[in-house]
Amino acid sequence: MAVPAAIFASLNWDNSEVIRGWAIPTATDIAFALGVLSLFGNRIPASMKVFLTALAIIDDLGAVVIIAIFYTADLQLWALGGAAAVLGALFALNRTGVKMLLPYLVLGAVLWLMVLLSGVHATVAGVMLAMTIPIVRIRPRDREHAEGSPLHRLEHALATVVPFFIIPIFAGLANYVVPLMLGAPDMAFPRLNALSFWLLPIAGIIFLASFLAPGGAFDAGWTGYAPLAGGAPLGQTFFNIGVQFAGASSIAAALNFLVTIITMRAPGMNLWRMPLMVWAQLATSLLVVGATPFVAGAQFMTLFDRVLGMNFFNFLEGGDVISYQHIFWFYSHPAVYIMMLPGFGIISEIISTHSRKPVFGYRLMALALIGIVVLSYSVWAHHMFVSGMFSWLRVPIMISTMLIAVPTGIKVFSWLGTLFYGKIHTYSTSMLFALAFIVTFTIGGISGVMLGMIPIDIHVSDTYFIVAHIHFVLFGGSVFTIFAGLYHWFPKMTGRMYDEKLGRIHLWLTVVGTWMTFVPMHWVGMDGMPRRVADYAAQYGDWNLVVSVSAFLLGAAQLVFLYNMIVSWRFGPKAGPNPWRANSIEWQVSSPPPMYNFDEIPRVVGGPYEYGTPGARHAIMGDDEGAAVPEPKPTTVAAS
């Protein structure tokens, strides 16, 4: 609480308002930790007591740092916050607790540092920045103080950090799971793999270092539209360069996945025996390799306009302003599917496993993934119906936007067909997240079909309806699937089981927070509330209050997840090799797997989803001679 409150309080108010705006959340954090400790006493684990106290301390000290950066207040104010946090911990814990607190504080400091060093933690940075937006949206503000403020630039940073670093989260999960599913000992190019990872810290550092540049951070929005970006502060150049490193990381990882999937499958694994998770990563990698160079080119052209005085997008000097949007969206709409397709593969694995049925329409599901790849390159211009592009291009783009809903709809019907008459096991949090994903993604996708229609798109263009649609679909389609995948493969990665009760609490808080945050945005958008404006009219205040409160609920829910993962990794019950009784290869080895995944390369003898087929096996491990899937015999019709 204190971190976003400190940002909010330190920007536009005098010293007394800073104290009130920051000290109240700080006191609330300390009171929360003290209250939990005193209320539950010995009824909660000592580790959770220490975790809560460390969380409050890290939050409050973070607020002190933010105030120190963004507000030139007296040194006594900063010292007051730090002292309050430390004293709160000393009163909350006994001597043993204080000793236990140190590792948690070290962990917290490392997490804050790693915000700059990896895709996962850069997304944590995005979440921290996201918690500042509900504060500024909780009531209308003075636009004169809102636009161009450091907080305004923080919002731009949030919108940039999260999309560029959701993709590496999927890549990291696939990095672990895909070689196991293929029966491969590792990725094809381990050093290229490492390079693709270490390019991300450089990108994250460049993005965040723009706040230290003269004139401030980049402020042309996450799209970096030209010619607006041409006159932006020096921080915009950091944005142009940071995108290059993030893009190079994505391309290197995608090439590695393509070579791994094509050349390193286990003996017997043809394309139609690959799990759908592998198919999804193959499709995603094709998109990344084909589309990412376009956004890199657009940013290079903008950089050359700024630094070398070129005029690619300067209309007065013969440049073409609209061409930036064409190039940018030719990448950025496929990027939506880059953030969605890996999740489709994750959901297919989970639903088949926990409904104990083969995937309904397996081959059509795989072809639908490739169909999305092909069609995704033909829908970019529906983002530009009101931008002044060629009017004759509108109708073809509308038709292609409608068509891309077909392969997506095939996947939804396939998941429902897999669930139909299945023995659905809802004891797993991963399965519950998968079901929540289907409902949320389907409803969010309906608004996407609406936006593909020219009249509706023109009516709601640049309103909060657009913001609501993309966030509702991406949060339900990407974040829900990330959580589902982490819960599903957590036993395999750690050798431990997580706490299912905490998993369910995390699920319901996340689902309720998501719906209450993003659904009202559709309504205020239809009423005309504009996006990309730092303030809003008072008539939208009530729903924005609901959105802000719900966003804090959504953010708080992730603390449950964080606690569950950390504690379960250390103290959770030991997991066997195959706690979900799944068929795919990764569940046939120990948890966690041995070095280089397998002692002997497995031999694939059947499909990965042959649930309910007696004697069916997906792969034979080592000297195990198991039974292969019997081939059906042709039916002979005797003459009468």
Side-chain angles (χ1 to χ4, degrees), residues 259-599:
V259 175
T260 302
I261 293 170
I262 293 171
T263 66
M264 296 186 67
R265 300 191 302 272
M269 179 177 284
N270 58 35
L271 291 178
W272 298 120
R273 286 178 172 176
M274 292 195 313
L276 286 173
M277 174 67 177
V278 179
W279 272 104
Q281 197 57 46
L282 175 66
T284 303
S285 300
L286 291 173
L287 270 177
V288 170
V289 171
T292 306
F294 284 88
V295 73
Q299 298 310 313
F300 268 130
M301 294 164 76
T302 305
L303 180 65
F304 293 158
D305 277 5
R306 290 174 53 85
V307 177
L308 302 180
M310 295 185 178
N311 297 296
F312 291 109
F313 308 119
N314 187 347
F315 177 77
L316 297 178
E317 299 294 336
D320 185 356
V321 176
I322 297 298
S323 64
Y324 178 92
Q325 294 189 37
H326 281 292
I327 300 170
F328 177 84
W329 288 115
F330 192 79
Y331 160 78
S332 292
H333 198 84
V336 172
Y337 298 105
I338 290 171
M339 292 186 277
M340 300 290 294
L341 293 184
F344 292 170
I346 291 170
I347 296 302
S348 299
E349 299 297 324
I350 293 171
I351 286 180
S352 178
T353 298
H354 292 288
S355 62
R356 314 307 300 168
K357 278 186 62 182
V359 172
F360 180 78
Y362 163 80
R363 293 198 176 195
L364 197 57
M365 284 282 275
L367 293 175
L369 288 166
I370 303 302
I372 291 174
V373 172
V374 174
L375 289 173
S376 67
Y377 289 108
S378 65
V379 300
W380 82 95
H382 71 234
H383 296 273
M384 302 171 57
F385 283 160
V386 297
S387 67
M389 69 175 189
F390 300 117
S391 58
W392 59 264
L393 190 57
R394 288 178 173 178
V395 173
I397 291 296
M398 180 182 71
I399 294 172
S400 63
T401 303
M402 299 295 104
L403 285 176
I404 203 169
V406 174
T408 308
I410 288 172
K411 307 194 76 60
V412 173
F413 281 110
S414 174
W415 294 322
L416 296 177
T418 306
L419 291 169
F420 189 70
Y421 274 115
K423 296 181 179 179
I424 302 174
H425 295 165
T426 57
Y427 57 81
S428 168
T429 304
S430 61
M431 183 61 168
L432 294 176
F433 263 108
L435 298 175
F437 154 79
I438 293 176
V439 175
T440 304
F441 175 73
T442 302
I443 293 178
I446 293 173
S447 65
V449 175
M450 294 168 57
L451 289 172
M453 301 177 185
I454 298 171
I456 296 177
D457 186 274
I458 291 175
H459 173 67
V460 300
S461 183
D462 281 332
T463 70
Y464 249 66
F465 190 91
I466 308 293
V467 177
H469 161 70
I470 188 63
H471 286 83
F472 195 57
V473 171
L474 276 184
F475 209 94
S478 293
V479 178
F480 279 21
T481 58
I482 288 171
F483 286 136
L486 290 175
Y487 280 116
H488 184 64
W489 282 293
F490 181 84
K492 179 57 58 179
M493 293 186 285
T494 65
R496 302 278 182 174
M497 297 299 294
Y498 56 86
D499 189 322
E500 289 286 359
K501 291 183 178 179
L502 290 177
R504 289 170 182 264
I505 293 172
H506 173 230
L507 164 82
W508 288 112
L509 289 176
T510 300
V511 170
V512 172
T514 299
W515 280 67
M516 292 300 295
T517 299
F518 300 120
V519 169
M521 290 184 183
H522 292 83
W523 301 332
V524 297
M526 290 292 287
D527 284 342
M529 178 176 167
R531 67 169 176 161
R532 295 174 178 163
V533 176
D535 194 15
Y536 59 86
Q539 69 189 78
Y540 307 119
D542 292 340
W543 279 123
N544 274 277
L545 177 61
V546 173
V547 168
S548 295
V549 173
S550 302
F552 276 110
L553 173 65
L554 181 58
Q558 310 323 310
L559 299 178
V560 179
F561 169 77
L562 184 64
Y563 172 79
N564 194 4
M565 295 294 102
I566 293 175
V567 174
S568 298
W569 199 328
R570 178 66 178 87
F571 302 107
K574 290 187 176 180
N578 192 0
W580 311 131
R581 298 187 297 127
N583 284 351
S584 49
I585 298 177
E586 78 270 22
W587 298 106
Q588 312 311 316
V589 296
S590 61
S591 298
M595 184 69 71
Y596 296 109
N597 293 341
F598 306 96
D599 296 326

Side-chain angles (χ1 to χ4, degrees), residues 167-201:
I167 297 171
I169 294 178
F170 280 123
L173 187 59
N175 225 290
Y176 191 93
V177 174
V178 166
L180 282 167
M181 287 183 156
L182 292 173
D186 198 353
M187 295 289 287
F189 306 116
R191 292 186 178 180
L192 183 64
N193 211 23
L195 175 64
S196 66
F197 172 81
W198 287 109
L199 286 173
L200 285 173

Side-chain angles (χ1 to χ4, degrees), residues 39-233:
L39 179 63
F40 291 96
N42 295 325
R43 293 169 58 187
I44 61 174
S47 60
M48 187 169 186
K49 298 179 185 179
V50 178
F51 177 80
L52 290 171
T53 306
L55 186 66
I57 292 176
I58 294 168
D59 186 34
D60 297 330
L61 292 180
V64 173
V65 172
I66 288 170
I67 287 182
I69 294 173
F70 289 109
Y71 189 78
T72 56
D74 295 332
L75 182 62
Q76 292 86 341
L77 180 61
W78 312 342
L80 177 64
V86 175
L87 288 176
L90 295 178
F91 281 112
L93 302 171
N94 54 28
R95 291 183 179 179
T96 304
V98 171
K99 292 180 180 179
M100 293 175 61
L101 181 64
L102 182 59
Y104 279 92
L105 289 177
V106 173
L107 173 64
V110 171
L111 286 177
W112 275 69
L113 178 62
M114 289 296 289
V115 161
L116 303 177
L117 296 181
S118 75
V120 174
H121 294 103
T123 303
V124 173
V127 172
M128 291 168 58
L129 292 173
M131 288 297 98
T132 68
I133 291 181
I135 295 176
V136 304
R137 292 293 176 189
I138 204 166
R139 63 177 179 81
R141 293 185 295 162
D142 182 355
R143 184 175 300 179
E144 180 182 351
H145 291 92
E147 293 180 348
S149 66
L151 183 56
H152 196 211
R153 291 193 171 99
L154 279 175
E155 296 183 50
H156 291 307
L158 160 70
T160 303
V161 166
V162 172
F164 278 109
F165 291 98
I166 280 181
I167 297 171
I169 294 178
F170 280 123
L173 187 59
N175 225 290
Y176 191 93
V177 174
V178 166
L180 282 167
M181 287 183 156
L182 292 173
D186 198 353
M187 295 289 287
F189 306 116
R191 292 186 178 180
L192 183 64
N193 211 23
L195 175 64
S196 66
F197 172 81
W198 287 109
L199 286 173
L200 285 173
I202 300 174
I205 291 172
I206 291 173
F207 281 139
L208 297 181
S210 66
F211 286 94
L212 304 178
F218 53 93
D219 64 355
W222 72 274
T223 57
Y225 274 170
L228 178 63

